[in-house]
Each structure stands twice: as structure tokens, then as C-alpha cells.
Amino acid sequence: MQTMPENQINSVVATTSGLCGGLGKALTAHLVIINITFQGIIEVAFYAAISALVGYGVKKGIDSVVIRFRKPKR
């Protein structure tokens, strides 16, 4: 069984995070097709962007920690 390259795994994690964040915002704001407004779309897009940004920040933080621990000690 082959494993996915790290870049693909990171993309899947970031996409899933953004999707869950956007859907969560849509569900908690009780958005349904009938009463979707431009303001509602902007709010959901903004929340999804913030979720993706936070996910990316966490990923970069974890990557830097992993790199620090993988460095050979002199």
C-alpha cells in the first residue's frame, strides 16, 4: 500500500478544514437556499477563509516542530 505524498496530505487536511468550517458556519447561521443573501455568502466565505488560514498556520507550526526534532544533533 502506497502512502500519499506529504503535499497531498496537507492539501486534503486544508481543504477538509475549510469545508467543515464553511459548512459549520452555514449550519449555525441557519442558511437555507431560500434566504441566502449576498451578506450571508460573504460571511460564509470570510469564515471559510479564516478557517483555512488557521489550518494553514497550524500545519506550518507542526511542520516546523517536526523539522526541529528531525534535525540531527551535532
Side-chain angles (χ1 to χ4, degrees):
M1 181 174 157
Q2 286 184 322
T3 59
M4 291 175 64
E6 187 173 334
N7 288 340
Q8 285 181 336
I9 292 172
N10 292 339
S11 296
V12 169
V13 170
T15 302
T16 303
S17 172
L19 178 65
C20 291
L23 287 175
K25 177 65 176 174
L27 291 174
T28 58
H30 303 292
L31 291 178
V32 292
I33 302 258
I34 295 170
N35 43 334
I36 289 181
T37 62
F38 184 71
Q39 181 181 357
I41 292 170
I42 296 299
E43 286 177 10
V44 170
F46 181 72
Y47 187 79
I50 295 297
S51 295
L53 185 63
V54 169
Y56 183 73
V58 169
K59 174 226 171 282
K60 293 301 274 183
I62 291 172
D63 286 349
S64 67
V65 169
V66 167
I67 288 171
R68 185 173 295 152
F69 282 115
R70 284 188 182 172
K71 272 188 179 176
K73 296 182 181 180
R74 295 178 194 195

